[in-house]
Amino acid sequence: VSDDRTARLWSITSGRAMAAPLRHGGAVTSAAFSPDGKSIATTSRDGLMRLWEAQPERGQMFSMVHENSVEQASFSPDGHAIATAGWDGTARVWSATDGQPLTPPLSYADQVQSAVFSPDGASVIATSYSSPARLWDAATGTLRPVELAQDRVRAAAFSPDGRRIITGSNDNTARIFDAVTGRPLAPPLVHAAAV
């Protein structure tokens, strides 16, 4: 992905472009393949998440709209849903089949930096600079009662078994939490700058 408003698909053996660029109206902020490798989701400062067939000559399938920059998209493990993180103060869960919203917007008071699914696809963890990372029910969009005691979180990820969450923050730490209770599982991992 690039600030030149494109995402490009490259051959890892030859280093050559495999197809025409995937174009947006603003800088492209992320790209993700679907679990089956048949689709690519791209996000952009133009406020769109676009879903493309992985054979780019077949073109764009559809777009999902935020009211500001879209920073990240991630597919659910089964590939049926896509979570997006937007600077409009929302994370959203969309159908990867028709681009329709699957839940109400997951609302924050500030820009949402990341949104990713748990390994079982039941939850989405979304992060914002102004509040702790929050866990949401991926099917209903309701907030799960798990408190992760860290603010200004830039990104979060689940462990492969889904039992732990690691966060990285502007407070110069990474932290590991129990995904069910929200309890810290280790002392903060301290860096010299934002994680």
Side-chain angles (χ1 to χ4, degrees):
V1 300
S2 173
D3 284 353
D4 71 2
R5 302 181 179 191
T6 69
R8 296 176 191 250
L9 189 60
W10 304 93
S11 165
I12 59 171
T13 54
S14 71
R16 294 184 181 164
M18 296 180 65
L22 308 176
R23 297 193 180 279
H24 274 269
V28 181
T29 54
S30 77
F33 276 96
S34 62
D36 65 7
K38 293 182 178 178
S39 303
I40 302 168
T42 58
T43 61
S44 172
R45 296 267 157 82
D46 65 7
L48 298 176
M49 189 279 287
R50 290 185 170 161
L51 190 65
W52 312 80
E53 293 187 33
Q55 304 295 323
E57 65 273 8
R58 295 184 188 158
Q60 180 183 324
M61 296 162 65
F62 41 80
S63 298
M64 292 84 148
V65 180
H66 277 259
E67 294 174 14
N68 203 324
S69 177
V70 188
E71 291 300 294
Q72 182 191 24
S74 66
F75 282 89
S76 61
D78 64 9
H80 295 155
I82 303 168
T84 56
W87 282 4
D88 60 0
T90 67
R92 298 175 186 247
V93 181
W94 310 89
S95 166
T97 304
D98 60 13
Q100 296 302 305
L102 295 176
T103 68
L106 316 179
S107 296
Y108 287 77
D110 199 357
Q111 300 168 342
V112 179
Q113 302 301 313
S114 70
V116 295
F117 283 93
S118 59
D120 64 4
S123 299
V124 170
I125 188 164
T127 65
S128 171
Y129 288 166
S130 65
S131 61
R134 294 180 185 159
L135 274 174
W136 302 85
D137 184 293
T140 65
T142 56
L143 192 59
R144 294 193 184 271
V146 177
E147 298 239 355
L148 305 178
Q150 184 181 31
D151 287 334
R152 300 167 60 211
V153 177
R154 298 168 69 120
F158 285 91
S159 62
D161 64 7
R163 295 171 54 196
R164 291 171 301 283
I165 295 167
I166 189 165
T167 58
S169 172
N170 276 355
D171 71 3
N172 300 0
T173 68
R175 299 181 193 226
I176 303 168
F177 298 95
D178 182 289
V180 175
T181 66
R183 183 174 56 86
L185 297 177
L189 310 174
V190 181
H191 291 253
V195 181

